[in-house]
Amino acid sequence: MPDASDGAAFFAENCTACHGSTGKGDGPLTAQLPVAPRDLTTLSRDNGGTFPTAQALSYVYGDPEQGHLARVMPEFADAMSLDLVPLEVDGVLTPTPRALAGLLFYLESIQQP
């Protein structure tokens, strides 16, 4: 099963250009984006103190309610879809791409009060 360190490696490779090395939304490409990247360290705080696993999973993987033209962040579904692990999401074991499970563990680990 992946852990937060696996997610940190994925984050460093795929997310820091926009979200910055600490996830605060201050990456080097921020000024070039039409919408400022989300501060990923406040996801739990903005969700009543609970990390929003299902929402984060859906958004990173590719939220079906928002097509690729409606969002700035790329979808990662194609890059992740073949290697699945069981992840508990809202009390249900959910087949989840290994890289995404690690990323979710990492994002949860960087939450600020």
Side-chain angles (χ1 to χ4, degrees):
M1 188 66 151
D3 60 21
S5 65
D6 298 312
F10 182 88
F11 187 87
E13 185 176 325
N14 296 284
C15 309
T16 57
C18 297
H19 291 284
S21 61
T22 62
K24 293 188 179 283
D26 57 356
L29 296 182
T30 301
Q32 300 171 30
L33 299 173
V35 177
R38 177 87 158 78
D39 180 342
L40 300 175
T41 68
T42 63
L43 298 174
S44 292
R45 183 184 70 205
D46 296 346
N47 191 50
T50 302
F51 184 74
T53 302
Q55 291 170 307
L57 186 151
S58 175
Y59 197 81
V60 174
Y61 192 68
D63 189 340
E65 294 180 13
Q66 291 201 19
H68 70 283
L69 296 177
R71 51 187 273 156
V72 175
M73 193 179 97
E75 296 177 12
F76 289 96
D78 291 341
M80 301 179 165
S81 61
L82 298 178
D83 186 11
L84 303 176
V85 296
L87 179 71
E88 186 175 329
V89 178
D90 295 338
V92 176
L93 284 179
T94 305
T96 304
R98 179 180 300 277
L100 181 52
L103 179 61
L104 292 173
F105 293 137
Y106 171 69
L107 292 176
E108 189 169 10
S109 78
I110 64 169
Q111 296 306 293
Q112 301 297 313

